[in-house]
Amino acid sequence: MFFKYNYDSFPVVNVKLFGYINNDDDFKKFMEEWLNIYNKKIDFEFVFDTKDLLGSDLKYTIYMAFFIKKIKSLKYKYLKHSKILLYNKFIYYMAKIIFIYEKPIAPIEIILHDNNNNIINR
């Protein structure tokens, strides 16, 4: 499993991503959890922490773009804001690729940090 959803600060949902995304079943579970939040029918925000994410097969980048498109087709957009904390330029560019294929659901901050946790790019 490459993710952990934390609801302690709901309506802010903190999502920790770690390891390597390379398993279809795990990716499906990741999307199902996201949809479960939508099924609560309460506005929320995401904060994605990728500090321990090592990488991903490119196909999951494309799958994520398709998933975002699916979420955008829903009648009401419960996701109000997202923040993605990035610590690796490769992961940063993969995130950018997602949003080239499909625009974000809601306003998003993409923040790239260096190894000392200093912000390089917003």
Side-chain angles (χ1 to χ4, degrees):
M1 194 83 52
F2 66 88
F3 64 91
K4 181 173 182 182
Y5 284 80
N6 182 317
Y7 300 96
D8 291 345
S9 300
F10 194 84
V12 175
V13 178
N14 292 289
V15 183
K16 180 78 173 163
L17 302 175
F18 49 87
Y20 196 81
I21 304 170
N22 62 356
N23 181 291
D24 288 353
D25 289 335
D26 284 352
F27 193 78
K28 182 179 176 185
K29 289 175 188 171
F30 173 79
M31 293 184 301
E32 287 171 353
E33 186 75 18
W34 187 323
L35 289 173
N36 286 340
I37 299 167
Y38 256 74
N39 289 335
K40 294 179 183 183
K41 298 183 178 183
I42 300 171
D43 293 345
F44 70 98
E45 298 180 19
F46 271 135
V47 176
F48 294 96
D49 179 355
T50 69
K51 190 166 192 168
D52 297 319
L53 183 62
L54 301 175
S56 169
D57 287 350
L58 182 59
K59 73 178 183 178
Y60 297 108
T61 302
I62 304 304
Y63 288 175
M64 192 68 215
F66 286 130
F67 180 69
I68 289 170
K69 184 174 187 164
K70 176 182 175 179
I71 293 288
K72 285 172 61 177
S73 73
L74 299 175
K75 185 175 182 178
Y76 187 83
K77 312 298 185 279
Y78 293 103
L79 178 60
K80 297 302 177 191
H81 184 265
S82 292
K83 185 183 295 187
I84 304 175
L85 307 175
L86 299 156
Y87 301 85
N88 173 305
K89 284 188 179 181
F90 175 73
I91 304 296
Y92 174 79
Y93 291 119
M94 301 235 358
K96 291 287 196 176
I97 288 170
I98 291 170
F99 299 117
I100 287 170
Y101 283 102
E102 190 62 42
K103 299 293 179 215
I105 298 164
I108 189 166
E109 291 179 75
I110 299 176
I111 304 168
L112 179 62
H113 297 83
D114 66 14
N115 292 337
N116 296 316
N117 211 26
N118 297 312
I119 295 174
I120 298 173
N121 193 1
R122 274 193 163 202

